[in-house]
């Protein structure tokens, strides 16, 4: 007959196996929560960005949903929280997308990943269902992202975005986020909506 001490040890091990994820902390998800929390504290920022080591630009952000990106080739992405504009001067086209007050930001991009693994100064996020099946976020000492490397589920291709010269808590004019289309540009309404 098994001793009561042995049975208690077995029950303790079984409980740990069954409930371990709720008893033990998850350092990856805790660090990710810290990153999202840090970004939520920032009311505004401006940074130089580089995409795929090729395209450069300046990113400006103001909470809650205002963004403006001016690329070195003249392209612009801007949103005032109600509309998102994409402007290509070489094509003379402006896409104007109604975003219906949807929010996203860093929290929207990084939330919902089933697997979050800390790797040195980075976090690796993996999901079987998200648009990006994998995101690697490299973090600065202040817990803000310094780079993102994202693998698209649909194409399998990677996009990398790096941030430098980050300034936080700066004053940004509201007019920056209200894009004014050039008079000669063709405007395409809601280009991101799925067509039936």
């Amino acid at each position: 007959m098994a001793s009561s001490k042995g049975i208690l040890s077995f029950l303790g091990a079984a409980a740990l196996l069954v409930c371990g994820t709720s008893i033990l902390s998850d350092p990856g998800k805790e660090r990710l929560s810290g990153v999202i929390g840090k970004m939520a504290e920032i009311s505004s920022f401006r940074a130089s960005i580089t995409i795929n080591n090729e395209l450069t630009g300046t990113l400006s952000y103001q909470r809650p949903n205002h963004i403006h990106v001016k690329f070195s080739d003249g392209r612009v992405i801007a949103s005032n929280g109600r509309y998102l504009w994409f402007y290509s001067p070489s094509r003379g086209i402006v896409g104007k997308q109604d975003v219906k007050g949807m929010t996203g930001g860093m929290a929207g991009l990084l939330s919902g990943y089933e697997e979050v693994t800390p790797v040195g100064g980075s976090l690796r996020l993996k999901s079987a269902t998200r648009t990006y099946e994998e995101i690697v976020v490299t973090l600065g000492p202040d817990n803000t992202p310094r780079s993102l490397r994202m693998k698209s589920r649909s194409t399998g291709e990677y996009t990398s975005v790096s941030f430098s010269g980050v300034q936080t808590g700066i004053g940004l004019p509201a007019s920056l986020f209200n894009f004014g289309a050039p008079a000669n540009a063709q405007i395409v309404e809601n280009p991101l909506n799925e067509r039936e």
Side-chain angles (χ1 to χ4, degrees):
M1 188 165 182
S3 70
S4 60
K5 191 174 185 179
I7 292 173
L8 286 176
S9 294
F10 173 75
L11 289 175
L16 187 60
L17 286 173
V18 171
C19 304
T21 56
S22 61
I23 293 173
L24 301 174
S25 66
D26 184 337
K29 289 194 177 181
E30 285 179 9
R31 182 98 192 262
L32 180 60
S33 291
V35 171
I36 292 170
K38 176 69 175 180
M39 295 307 294
E41 293 172 6
I42 297 172
S43 62
S44 63
F45 73 87
R46 177 170 282 153
S48 296
I49 62 169
T50 303
I51 299 176
N52 293 337
N53 296 317
E54 296 173 4
L55 186 60
T56 60
T58 301
L59 166 69
S60 301
Y61 167 82
Q62 189 171 54
R63 192 172 42 186
N65 303 321
H66 300 104
I67 190 168
H68 183 273
V69 185
K70 174 80 182 249
F71 291 105
S72 54
D73 64 1
R75 285 184 282 177
V76 174
I77 298 172
S79 179
N80 61 5
R82 174 77 173 116
Y83 294 104
L84 178 65
W85 292 274
F86 310 88
Y87 172 54
S88 172
S90 66
R91 297 181 67 203
I93 295 175
V94 175
K96 181 181 177 185
Q97 182 71 38
D98 187 343
V99 292
K100 297 182 174 82
M102 294 185 303
T103 61
M106 195 61 73
L109 178 65
L110 302 179
S111 296
Y113 282 82
E114 298 91 17
E115 184 181 329
V116 182
T117 309
V119 181
S122 300
L123 289 173
R124 175 172 283 126
L125 291 67
K126 290 188 175 184
S127 173
T129 59
R130 301 287 308 220
T131 300
Y132 294 106
E133 64 183 82
E134 179 183 75
I135 297 179
V136 177
V137 185
T138 304
L139 302 167
D142 61 351
N143 228 18
T144 57
R146 294 295 183 243
S147 69
L148 300 168
R149 187 166 190 259
M150 305 170 290
K151 183 180 181 184
S152 170
R153 175 167 312 289
S154 62
T155 65
E157 294 179 5
Y158 285 91
T159 300
S160 63
V161 182
S162 61
F163 307 91
S164 62
V166 178
Q167 302 170 314
T168 59
I170 59 174
L172 297 169
S175 60
L176 181 65
F177 308 103
N178 290 309
F179 182 74
N184 61 345
Q186 175 188 357
I187 297 177
V188 178
E189 297 281 342
N190 298 309
L192 300 179
N193 290 4
E194 291 184 43
R195 296 173 194 242
E196 295 181 27

